[in-house]
Structures are given as C-alpha cells and as structure tokens.
Amino acid sequence: MWEKLQEIARRFDEIGELLEIPEIYGDPDRLRALTREQKELEPVVTAYRAYKSCEAAETEAEELLSDPELHDMAQEELREAKENRARLYDELRILLLPRDPNDSRNVIMELRGGVGGEESALFAADLYRMYSMYAEKHGWKLELMNYNDTELGGVKEADFIVSGDGAYSRLKYESGVHRVQRVPETESGGRVHTSTATVAVLPEMETVDVELREEDIEMQVYRSSGAGGQHVNKTSSAVRLIHKPSGIVVSCQEERSQVQNRAKCMAMLASKLYEIERERVEGAVTSERRAQVGTGMRNERIRTYNFPQNRVTDHRLTGDARNFNIYAVINGELDPIIDALTMQYQAEALRQSTEEQA
C-alpha cells in the first residue's frame, strides 16, 4: 500500500512538472488526459501527505513527553495526531479501491415511461424534474437532447446531458427501474396505482475515445416538434444518426442548428458504442443499457416512491437506512440516498479487498 502511495505521489508531481511545459498546450488530447489524471490523483496525494504529516507530528509529540513543562500539551497533540492518522488511514484504503475510470465524466441520461400508461409518463416527468433540481443544487448544467411529452404533461421519453464535476460518479446509481405507488391524476376512484419509469445512465464519451467512421453513419434531418417557438417548425434542424454496423439510432432536436444537434448526437453515439465495447470486453451477454433498465416490469425495480406512506425505499440498501422522505427526494434531495449507496459499495469492496489480502 505504501509503495503504491509513494508511486502515486511521484506521478502527481511529474504531471505538475509536465503541465509547466508550454509545448504540452499544443496537444489538446494529451493536455486533457494529463489534467484529468492530475485531478483523479489529487485526493489520494492530499490524504497521503496529510497522513505523513500526522506521523511526523506523532514523533515530535512523543519526543516532548519527557519535558515536564510540555508534557500535557504534547500528550494532547499526540492524541490528536493518532486520531487523525487513523482516520486518514481508513480514507486512504477507500481512495485506493479500484475506481470507475468514467467517474469524472459527464452523463447522458435516458428517461422512459414504463408500465402504467399515462401515469407512468407523468411519473417520468416527475423524475425529470427531480434530476433537474438535483443538477441545479450541484451547479451542474443540464442540456436536453430529445424530449417527447404527452398531452397531460407526462414524458414518453427524455434524453439529456448532465455536465459537471463528478456527475457520473453520483448519477450512475440512478440506473434501473423506478416504481411509484400513488393515486394518479387520471384516477377518479381514489385507488392507489403502481407504475414504473426506466432510467439509463451512460458516461459521455468523446468521439476520440471511440472509433467512429463517417461511412458507417447515416444522417437524417427533420423538423423539430414540441415547445420552442416559431423556429421549431420552420427549419429542419433536428438530427437523427443511424450507426449502420450496430443499428443504434440517436436523435437530438433541442438545439437551433443542425450542427449543434449533430454534435450532441455524435457524443451520444460514442457513449453507446463505448458501452457495447466495454460489455464485449467484459464478456457479458446483454448491453449495459439493457441491464440497467430491463423491460420496465414492476419486479425489476431499484427504488419505490410510495406517496401514501410518504416514503422512498431504495431496494439496494438494507435495514432502516434504505427509507427516505419522499418529498425531499422528489424535490432533488438525492444525496442521502447516493451517499448511502456509495458507502455500502465501498464497504463491500473493502471487505473483498481484505479477504483477498488475507
């Protein structure tokens, strides 16, 4: 562990030196890779150097214990240094766990109504609002790519990009089927209905990360539909891309120009192809997206939003820690759920790491 930490610290310093070389800024791809690596290593190096400082503080305090006049002060400093060192040791163990290389990326999210007809579309609209509010709380930018609504204000489908520091590391836990239990607006008898919506989360990839050949892509343009004023229906600015080898189809109609919509489509296509390649490498039989959203049936849920009982239950968590206030969650307060999931997965990873080392 300590040799690995020393190597990480050396690499961090090396990157700092490289970024002082003017020629680096003439190579955007390398500059981007170096700054991304530096950002990923920084928390580990900061904790490691803080740990070494605690060690030095312990040694210094132990040396002062023999001085009668400084004994009490040294004893307090020694206690504090030991507590901080123990805390930092646990922090370093977590930081050294294998991390998802895509955690620092932006996110492409796909939201679909599932089982439940119009009520499922209304629930999907609630989820879209929830993610919009969550992104706003974190200072992230949310950009629509595709939005297909219903007459009652529900969402049949919505594709959007969330851009911001650590967006994928947080929102990746939202992949799956979300179930709602409530009295729908469309229900006149006051009966509680159960409906679902599906969420897929993909890391936004750059076109340089995936091999995309122009001859493999068919581009179609059409007029946008939905809100957007007169411009929407007068120009064929919406773009649909078809990747002929895989059959993947992506579309974007929210920007005002074909160029902007095509750029977003290319990013989404790159992300989907990346997932397919990763799935192939890992030897799984179904795509990442299919594994995330399933078929939308009620028994494939990751989370239940129970309005009559004012409770959100995340079924991946255990015990009382898996229940949350529904009105806080639906208004974008997702951090308590995501923090609990992160801690649970880290604890499991630590347990497996300890068993492997034993």
Side-chain angles (χ1 to χ4, degrees):
M1 172 175 168
W2 303 114
E3 290 180 1
K4 184 175 183 179
L5 285 166
Q6 290 171 5
E7 180 58 35
I8 290 172
R10 282 195 294 268
R11 175 58 181 166
F12 181 79
D13 291 339
E14 180 184 348
I15 293 172
E17 293 172 1
L18 287 171
L19 291 175
E20 294 178 357
I21 301 174
E23 288 76 14
I24 289 290
Y25 293 83
D27 187 344
D29 290 341
R30 191 180 182 202
L31 176 62
R32 185 163 45 246
L34 285 172
T35 52
R36 181 182 296 167
E37 185 182 1
Q38 183 187 52
K39 190 173 183 179
E40 291 172 354
L41 296 180
E42 187 172 10
V44 183
V45 174
T46 299
Y48 172 60
R49 289 177 174 164
Y51 181 92
K52 299 300 288 184
S53 295
C54 286
E55 279 190 330
E58 276 189 56
T59 301
E60 183 177 346
E62 286 171 349
E63 291 174 352
L64 294 175
L65 285 174
S66 58
D67 189 326
E69 295 183 1
L70 300 175
H71 180 273
D72 290 345
M73 182 188 71
Q75 197 167 42
E76 176 61 22
E77 290 181 354
L78 180 61
R79 182 192 61 78
E80 185 177 334
K82 284 184 175 180
E83 287 180 358
N84 288 334
R85 186 164 65 87
R87 175 183 57 80
L88 287 164
Y89 178 77
D90 291 338
E91 184 178 329
L92 284 167
R93 289 183 67 203
I94 291 174
L95 287 169
L96 287 177
L97 289 173
R99 64 186 302 276
D100 190 327
N102 296 315
D103 274 353
S104 61
R105 293 185 182 272
N106 298 330
V107 173
I108 293 177
M109 299 187 71
E110 298 178 331
L111 184 57
R112 303 287 185 267
V115 174
E118 182 64 37
E119 166 63 3
S120 71
L122 291 169
F123 177 49
D126 289 338
L127 292 181
Y128 176 72
R129 175 179 171 275
M130 179 182 75
Y131 293 129
S132 299
M133 296 180 73
Y134 183 66
E136 184 178 358
K137 291 176 190 295
H138 281 265
W140 298 336
K141 180 181 179 182
L142 188 148
E143 300 174 87
L144 266 177
M145 298 178 64
N146 189 40
Y147 192 89
N148 187 356
D149 56 5
T150 68
E151 292 183 359
L152 295 181
V155 171
K156 293 180 181 178
E157 57 182 24
D159 303 328
F160 51 97
I161 299 173
V162 180
S163 307
D165 187 24
Y168 182 75
S169 70
R170 305 292 289 172
L171 289 169
K172 64 183 179 182
Y173 295 107
E174 296 304 298
S175 298
V177 175
H178 297 241
R179 182 176 73 165
V180 64
Q181 294 174 325
R182 65 184 177 186
V183 178
E185 296 178 20
T186 54
E187 169 60 46
S188 59
R191 293 182 297 113
V192 174
H193 286 224
T194 297
S195 304
T196 66
T198 64
V199 178
V201 181
L202 304 171
E204 184 189 26
M205 309 304 293
E206 299 167 15
T207 54
V208 297
D209 296 319
V210 178
E211 183 180 357
L212 281 174
R213 301 189 305 171
E214 288 296 329
E215 57 267 31
D216 290 339
I217 301 172
E218 177 185 341
M219 176 175 164
Q220 299 175 350
V221 296
Y222 57 99
R223 290 185 180 180
S224 302
S225 60
Q230 295 180 352
H231 174 83
V232 164
N233 293 318
K234 286 187 175 181
T235 63
S236 297
S237 59
V239 171
R240 181 183 297 113
L241 296 183
I242 303 171
H243 187 251
K244 291 180 280 189
S246 66
I248 292 174
V249 180
V250 296
S251 59
C252 182
Q253 63 174 358
E254 297 302 319
E255 298 295 341
R256 294 179 63 87
S257 75
Q258 284 185 18
V259 173
Q260 291 172 312
N261 282 325
R262 188 181 190 280
K264 286 190 175 181
C265 279
M266 288 293 287
M268 191 170 188
L269 181 57
S271 297
K272 287 177 173 283
L273 291 173
Y274 169 82
E275 289 297 311
I276 290 175
E277 177 62 16
R278 184 169 72 170
E279 193 70 25
R280 185 191 67 79
V281 171
E282 293 176 355
V285 294
T286 55
S287 70
E288 173 78 6
R289 182 179 179 278
R290 186 178 300 276
Q292 289 178 2
V293 305
T295 63
M297 296 305 291
R298 297 181 181 92
N299 62 348
E300 298 176 322
R301 64 191 183 278
I302 62 166
R303 192 178 296 156
T304 295
Y305 302 71
N306 189 312
F307 278 81
Q309 297 181 17
N310 187 25
R311 184 183 69 232
V312 172
T313 301
D314 195 293
H315 303 289
R316 295 163 294 182
L317 296 170
T318 57
D320 294 336
R322 68 181 190 160
N323 295 322
F324 304 86
N325 180 279
I326 194 166
Y327 294 102
V329 172
I330 210 71
N331 284 309
E333 296 292 341
L334 284 169
D335 277 333
I337 298 179
I338 293 174
D339 288 342
L341 288 166
T342 301
M343 290 178 63
Q344 179 170 290
Y345 291 150
Q346 286 176 343
E348 176 60 21
L350 275 173
R351 184 189 65 78
Q352 292 179 1
S353 176
T354 302
E355 289 179 353
E356 290 172 0
Q357 293 173 7

